[in-house]
Structures are given as C-alpha cells and as structure tokens.
Amino acid sequence: RVQLVESGGGSAQAGGSLRLSCAASGDTFSVTCMGWFRHGPGKERERVAVIDSGGSPPYYADSVKGRFTISRDNAKNTVYLQMNSLKPEDTAMYNCAAAPRCYADPGLWTYWGQGTQVTVSS
C-alpha cells in the first residue's frame, strides 16, 4: 500500500505562482507513475500532469502547458507541481495520485492523496 501526503496550495492572485508537493511512503516500488489531477467547481476531474520514474517526457493537459511544471525526486519519493501564471480557472481541488502506469483514465489510478485546495482570484 502507498500513502500520499500533499502540501502546498492555498490562495493566489491571477498571474501568481504556487507549488504543490506530494510525498509518497509505503510500497513505493509498486508505483512508477505519479501525477496531479484536479476537480474544479462544475467541472469533471482533469488529469493535469503526470510523470513516471523512468525519465519519459511528462504529460501535461493542454490547459496548463507552458505554465505548470511537474518534477519528481525519486530519492525522496516526492513529486512537485510548480504552477505559474495562475488563472482563475485553475481554481480546483488538486489531488496527487500514484499508479503502476501512467493511465489516462483516473479511475485506473490506485492511490490518491487527500487533496489540497487551490484558489485563484482575479
């Protein structure tokens, strides 16, 4: 079993930046892919960015390309999401997730963090 603990998030003004962190513990050898999903008000859950442990190019949703950067410290079993040029539409609950593979379907991801709220004001 893998436990995910998120930190960061909070409030920011449009154009600002925030950084999310997600630390994994437990059977981390069983998960090669970690990523961030978000669920905004009135929206479906969206896969924001994912990264595997093998060095493959990360995936980014079109809505965040060029603004968000996902990175991973394998030694610390921690994944980060640097969010720049924030927009009000980035407001959402952000969840860290981990899985054996980088699935497109969030329903296939095995482990989830408790979530951290990001609120961007205009």
Side-chain angles (χ1 to χ4, degrees), residues 45-57:
R45 179 178 289 178
E46 179 183 21
R47 184 173 56 143
V48 177
V50 301
I51 187 169
D52 70 13
S53 59
S56 301

Side-chain angles (χ1 to χ4, degrees), residues 30-34 50 52 98-105 108-110:
S30 66
V31 293
T32 60
C33 195
M34 295 182 71
V50 301
D52 70 13
R101 299 180 65 179
C102 294
Y103 302 107
D105 182 356
L108 297 178
W109 287 66
T110 316

Side-chain angles (χ1 to χ4, degrees), residues 56-119:
S56 301
Y59 163 88
Y60 293 99
D62 288 342
S63 56
V64 306
K65 280 181 181 177
R67 300 188 298 120
F68 291 11
T69 302
I70 189 170
S71 60
R72 180 170 180 164
D73 185 333
N74 289 329
K76 295 182 178 180
N77 293 314
T78 299
V79 65
Y80 307 94
L81 186 67
Q82 178 66 42
M83 305 184 293
N84 298 330
S85 302
L86 284 164
K87 304 176 180 181
E89 50 264 44
D90 294 319
T91 295
M93 177 66 73
Y94 285 71
N95 290 91
C96 176
R101 299 180 65 179
C102 294
Y103 302 107
D105 182 356
L108 297 178
W109 287 66
T110 316
Y111 303 103
W112 293 83
Q114 79 284 359
T116 184
Q117 178 68 34
V118 171
T119 302

Side-chain angles (χ1 to χ4, degrees), residues 4-8 20-23 35-36 94-97 112-116:
L4 302 174
V5 178
E6 299 123 331
S7 60
L20 307 181
S21 299
C22 175
W36 294 93
Y94 285 71
N95 290 91
C96 176
W112 293 83
Q114 79 284 359
T116 184

Side-chain angles (χ1 to χ4, degrees), residues 11 89 122:
S11 299
E89 50 264 44
S122 57

